[in-house]
Amino acid sequence: MKRIRRFLCIGLLMLPLGLSAQYIGQHQSQIKAEPKITVKAYSFDLQDVKLLDSRFKENMNREGEWMLSLPVERLLHSFRVNAGMLTNKKDSKTKMPAPLGGWEALDMELRGHSIGHLLSGLSFQYAATGNILFKKKIDSLVSGLAEVQTTLNEGGYLSAFPQNYIDRNIQGKSVWAPWYTLHKIVAGLIDAYWYAGDTQALDVVNKMALWAYQKISPLNQDQLALMLRNEFGGMNEAWYNLYSITGNPEHKKLGDLFYHHAVLDPLAAGEDKLNKMHANTVIPKITGEARAYELTGDNRDKAIVSNFWDNVIHNQTYVIGSNSDKEHFIEPGKISKFITGYTGETCNTYNMLKVTRHLFTWDANVKYADYYERALYNHILGQQDPKTGMVCYFTPLKAGAFRLYSTRDSSFWCCVGSGFESQSKYGEAIYYHNDQGVYVNLFIPSVLTWKERGLKLRQETTYPEDATTHLTIDSASAENLTLYIRYPGWARNGATVKINGKNVKVNQSPGSYITLNRKWKTGDKVEITYPITLHLEPTPDNPKIAAVMYGPVVLAGEMGTEAMPAHAPYHDATDPYQYYDYDYNVPANLVRSLKINEENVAEALKPVNGEPLTFKTINTINGTPVTLEPYYNLHRQRYVVYWDLY
């Protein structure tokens, strides 16, 4: 039976990143729809949250510098080639920048995807920092893309590859994911409009939507099913986001046309058929269904999203919050059998966090915030090399593996693109709100400004190095307001809360929210302490294989650089696929076993004086001591995350 979707002009809950209802109110002239569902938590806009000094801000700054360093001419080169535009200046004294390399090279069918990610990343950076350099770069890129679109003169089509790629996709012929690439461009243009106020971006994407509607709306169900077998990213999400801005029913229908029955129908029925599916092909489709639910209130869409999230978290997720082996979902629950050098494609976690954000706004359930913290710290934060700012594709968990990082202008893997976004929007999920108050979900140094309620909240902490977080009310209105402070599920040793130095009784339990309601005054201070302890997290299918954790932080054993290839840990620019089927050449004498169990973790691992979050083993199988530190800090050397226990 064909799936019937409603095409009413309804619903905006969350634009990209889940912008708050208050922000929507400030930009009501830009909105042509209203929410269709009731939610329990709203996001704040990135401009309302300013990061203070921390590793998160350092990562964001490094990413911003990298994005600003990429010349506009190089980024637009393949688009101009596709449109037959001039790419070489007649003045022989002036050399045009060379085309980009890796997945953006002129002979790569996925070329053009990075500029979409870049537009999103630049937009997030502009919203988060107010730095006009990001705005100028966005405007230059959008202006260049608009010129290409006009020159192509193909009914609004815009890409760095010919429209024939889309035709091949529709016909079921081999081609590398053209709709996936167009999704990145459409999403980037929408973000440029919303976060940076670039109205030309909205004009360009509206023309792209007109082309897309005329291209695929005449297709029958069999033709659509054939087309959707190829990876299309979150094309449904992008069209739904555009619809939420424009109210144009054609944009809503475009999102509906990307409903992939073969993948989504089993999820709606609660069936698990994920094994061996390409993970990052599936996850963005779920985000699209989350937007569909918000725009229609259709509980079937909600079931798809909820069933998928629960399934992946319980059956597919490694200790660092990542999933997939060689980009594919694994046999449910069999984590110990898939601890390889190709685990944790970073795009997957980027997309899982997007899904998680939607789910949290619907239910305000702390389990979503707990997962978000785990994946953010242990995977996303550690994706970036703090020495160079480069990022990794896989996050390998094989004992003795190491991270392999991109180059500055000759890799451009999908995870480089999603990294432009992930490393630029750390402020997105620290705080949420309802009508009564603010959720403090993440313990990241930052300042929240909630203009509508007259609240300015400062959070200062070195968490997780220190178990205590300090909240200061820099300004407040005269009305009552509630602080909902996440009580993490891992905080098994209780919590201590003080207001202005006085202890407050905590009635809640781990896995909930500590609620503090009062008329706050400027200068009020809240101090929250969650004692952090060591514990093991075994794989679900083999209790003799486990990772070591310190509270929410995954610890990894330092294993040095013995026998690492000469170019490592950086990608060899001559091979854009080097990250795949990579030989880590792990030394045979690598220590991968610990004499430890859940009852003696504190005795088996001793803290290293003067080195926060660093521990040294008392006993290993061969007697060689091992130093463990946070996985997100362990770069440019081998490591062990999952240990054999004895």
Side-chain angles (χ1 to χ4, degrees):
M1 183 176 68
K2 292 183 180 180
R3 186 168 189 251
I4 300 174
R5 312 275 267 164
R6 289 174 286 179
F7 299 136
L8 301 177
C9 181
I10 49 178
L12 170 69
L13 171 64
M14 296 204 302
L15 282 163
L17 297 186
L19 299 179
S20 73
Q22 312 302 326
Y23 186 69
I24 292 167
Q26 296 167 15
H27 296 74
Q28 192 62 49
S29 63
Q30 296 172 288
I31 304 304
K32 305 300 182 185
E34 295 295 335
K36 189 64 176 179
I37 68 170
T38 301
V39 299
K40 292 187 178 180
Y42 291 93
S43 302
F44 287 97
D45 179 31
L46 279 173
Q47 70 182 15
D48 296 328
V49 180
K50 301 299 181 186
L51 297 185
L52 300 177
D53 290 343
S54 70
R55 173 70 176 280
F56 293 97
K57 187 175 181 180
E58 292 169 2
N59 270 32
M60 186 177 77
N61 288 343
R62 279 187 288 265
E63 202 74 21
E65 291 169 2
W66 182 11
M67 290 190 289
L68 289 175
S69 74
L70 295 170
V72 170
E73 295 297 325
R74 295 190 70 183
L75 291 163
L76 291 172
H77 186 94
S78 57
F79 287 84
R80 288 171 172 160
V81 168
N82 185 48
M85 298 169 66
L86 182 67
T87 55
N88 291 302
K89 292 183 179 178
K90 295 179 180 179
D91 181 359
S92 60
K93 296 180 181 180
T94 304
K95 293 185 178 180
M96 291 291 287
L100 297 171
W103 288 16
E104 287 296 343
L106 288 174
D107 61 348
M108 299 294 276
E109 290 186 338
L110 209 68
R111 61 188 180 272
H113 71 112
S114 297
I115 201 169
H117 283 297
L118 196 75
L119 281 170
S120 293
L122 291 167
S123 299
F124 302 156
Q125 290 268 355
Y126 178 61
T129 68
N131 186 340
I132 196 64
L133 292 178
F134 295 113
K135 167 68 170 168
K136 289 181 177 179
K137 186 133 191 169
I138 293 164
D139 292 345
S140 294
L141 288 170
V142 171
S143 177
L145 290 173
E147 185 182 13
V148 169
Q149 187 180 50
T150 299
T151 303
L152 277 170
N153 193 26
E154 296 180 15
Y157 177 74
L158 171 63
S159 182
F161 51 72
Q163 197 171 157
N164 171 259
Y165 284 21
I166 298 293
D167 296 333
R168 283 160 53 189
N169 188 180
I170 291 172
Q171 295 161 13
K173 297 179 180 178
S174 178
V175 62
W176 191 9
W179 283 112
Y180 170 96
T181 300
L182 293 187
H183 163 239
K184 309 312 171 192
I185 298 170
V186 169
L189 289 165
I190 292 173
D191 287 337
Y193 167 70
W194 193 256
Y195 291 95
D198 192 311
T199 55
Q200 187 176 33
L202 184 61
D203 179 65
V204 172
V205 79
N206 271 319
K207 291 175 181 176
M208 292 182 72
L210 177 62
W211 162 81
Y213 186 80
Q214 294 176 344
K215 188 79 173 179
I216 66 172
S217 61
L219 302 181
N220 61 39
Q221 288 296 315
D222 290 339
Q223 290 173 308
L224 284 171
L226 186 62
M227 181 185 80
L228 297 180
R229 288 171 57 185
N230 200 344
E231 184 176 9
F232 57 80
M235 199 73 259
N236 50 350
E237 177 202 12
W239 295 134
Y240 288 139
N241 282 334
L242 182 61
Y243 167 70
S244 69
I245 296 170
T246 66
N248 185 336
E250 290 185 357
H251 300 161
K252 168 67 168 58
K253 186 177 179 181
L254 273 173
D256 294 336
L257 290 172
F258 280 87
Y259 179 88
H260 193 187
H261 288 273
V263 172
L264 300 176
D265 286 352
L267 287 168
E271 300 172 4
D272 180 4
K273 295 187 177 181
L274 296 179
N275 186 22
K276 298 183 180 180
M277 283 189 181
H278 186 260
N280 200 46
T281 295
V282 175
I283 306 172
K285 299 174 184 179
I286 308 305
T287 310
E289 290 311 294
R291 290 299 286 124
Y293 169 61
E294 292 159 2
L295 290 165
T296 67
D298 186 341
N299 283 319
R300 189 173 187 277
D301 294 317
K302 183 180 183 181
I304 289 171
V305 180
S306 299
N307 290 343
F308 174 81
W309 192 91
D310 288 339
N311 189 332
V312 171
I313 297 304
H314 293 119
N315 296 320
Q316 299 284 343
T317 301
Y318 296 93
V319 68
I320 65 170
S322 66
N323 62 68
S324 80
D325 178 49
K326 282 196 173 181
E327 303 186 357
H328 291 75
F329 286 127
I330 63 173
E331 186 180 351
K334 303 300 183 181
I335 296 293
S336 71
K337 295 182 179 180
F338 295 92
I339 300 174
T340 75
Y342 318 103
T343 52
E345 181 184 355
T346 313
C347 281
N348 295 3
T349 302
Y350 153 83
N351 279 311
M352 279 300 296
L353 291 182
K354 290 180 70 174
V355 174
T356 303
R357 291 256 288 148
H358 285 277
L359 284 162
F360 180 79
T361 64
W362 303 346
D363 299 328
N365 191 318
V366 76
K367 71 178 182 180
Y368 300 121
D370 278 354
Y371 168 73
Y372 200 102
E373 175 184 63
R374 177 178 293 223
L376 189 73
Y377 276 87
N378 298 302
H379 193 183
I380 298 300
L381 186 64
Q383 181 202 17
Q384 187 194 93
D385 173 23
K387 181 179 179 180
T388 64
M390 298 299 100
V391 297
C392 57
Y393 189 112
F394 292 126
T395 307
L397 294 174
K398 177 180 180 178
F402 49 86
R403 291 175 169 95
L404 188 68
Y405 302 103
S406 63
T407 51
R408 184 166 291 275
D409 64 355
S410 54
S411 301
F412 291 109
W413 310 314
C414 54
C415 297
V416 170
S418 61
F420 288 149
E421 299 185 42
S422 292
Q423 304 294 329
S424 299
K425 58 187 179 79
Y426 282 120
E428 71 168 2
I430 303 174
Y431 308 101
Y432 294 81
H433 73 87
N434 60 19
D435 291 340
Q436 288 75 45
V438 172
Y439 291 89
V440 181
N441 268 12
L442 299 175
F443 309 119
I444 294 175
S446 54
V447 176
L448 167 68
T449 302
W450 189 5
K451 294 178 182 178
E452 292 71 27
R453 296 295 295 271
L455 177 70
K456 188 171 185 180
L457 179 67
R458 178 181 298 270
Q459 181 176 181
E460 296 171 296
T461 182
T462 58
Y463 173 93
E465 294 181 7
D466 191 327
T468 300
T469 292
H470 302 271
L471 301 174
T472 302
I473 307 297
D474 285 346
S475 63
S477 64
E479 57 189 358
N480 273 37
L481 187 139
T482 302
L483 294 181
Y484 305 94
I485 302 169
R486 182 171 63 95
Y487 194 164
W490 57 260
R492 304 165 187 171
N493 284 8
T496 301
V497 177
K498 296 180 180 180
I499 298 179
N500 297 328
K502 296 181 179 180
N503 285 325
V504 175
K505 185 178 179 181
V506 176
N507 297 316
Q508 293 82 13
S509 302
S512 64
Y513 282 93
I514 296 171
T515 57
L516 305 175
N517 178 270
R518 59 188 284 163
K519 290 183 179 180
W520 299 97
K521 297 178 181 179
T522 299
D524 280 348
K525 296 182 182 298
V526 180
E527 182 180 293
I528 313 102
T529 302
Y530 299 117
I532 305 177
T533 57
L534 291 162
H535 64 279
L536 300 180
E537 181 164 310
T539 58
D541 58 318
N542 188 345
K544 293 185 178 181
I545 297 176
V548 180
M549 298 192 70
Y550 183 67
V553 177
V554 176
L555 301 177
E558 300 175 357
M559 292 295 156
T561 60
E562 179 185 350
M564 283 175 60
H567 63 80
Y570 302 105
H571 164 229
D572 182 353
T574 64
D575 182 1
Y577 300 105
Q578 184 191 65
Y579 61 90
Y580 214 79
D581 290 326
Y582 188 76
D583 183 6
Y584 290 96
N585 195 29
V586 179
N589 62 348
L590 185 90
V591 177
R592 61 189 75 201
S593 302
L594 294 179
K595 293 181 179 179
I596 193 172
N597 59 58
E598 188 59 51
E599 285 70 38
N600 76 340
V601 180
E603 287 74 32
L605 299 172
K606 295 301 181 183
V608 177
N609 290 333
E611 298 183 32
L613 303 177
T614 304
F615 301 83
K616 194 173 288 289
T617 61
I618 302 301
N619 291 304
T620 56
I621 295 304
N622 67 358
T624 303
V626 174
T627 299
L628 288 87
E629 64 173 292
Y631 183 49
Y632 61 75
N633 274 342
L634 223 164
H635 296 273
R636 299 180 298 282
Q637 67 166 293
R638 301 183 187 277
Y639 50 72
V640 175
V641 173
Y642 280 106
W643 303 87
D644 295 326
L645 305 184
Y646 289 87

